[in-house]
Amino acid sequence: MIHADGDIYDGYWKDDRAHGYGQYTHTDGAQYEGYWVDDKQHGQGKEHWPDGAQYEGNYKFGKKDGYG
């Protein structure tokens, strides 16, 4: 799905929300790949930013959680 701002989500849906495994790419090149629950990052995932920074770990309802 391509959002109005140009961001792209490619993955599973449930009740018109990102739910399950998916990949979200922002127009600036930042990217998240991992699990979603009700349109929020939840479970294992990876984020990469255009400056080379990255995070891999757990998310809980859209926020980084625990070891990563």
Side-chain angles (χ1 to χ4, degrees), residues 1-2 8 12 15-17 20-22 26 30 34 36-37 44-49 52 58 66 68:
M1 171 183 187
I2 300 174
I8 300 170
Y12 288 92
D15 298 326
D16 289 329
R17 295 178 184 196
Y21 191 82
H26 297 269
W36 299 80
V37 170
Q44 277 297 116
K46 300 179 205 175
E47 278 186 278
H48 303 272
W49 291 272
N58 201 47

Side-chain angles (χ1 to χ4, degrees), residues 1-29:
M1 171 183 187
I2 300 174
H3 294 268
D5 62 3
D7 290 353
I8 300 170
Y9 174 73
D10 183 24
Y12 288 92
W13 295 90
K14 181 179 178 184
D15 298 326
D16 289 329
R17 295 178 184 196
H19 193 92
Y21 191 82
Q23 183 174 1
Y24 193 97
T25 304
H26 297 269
T27 56
D28 68 0

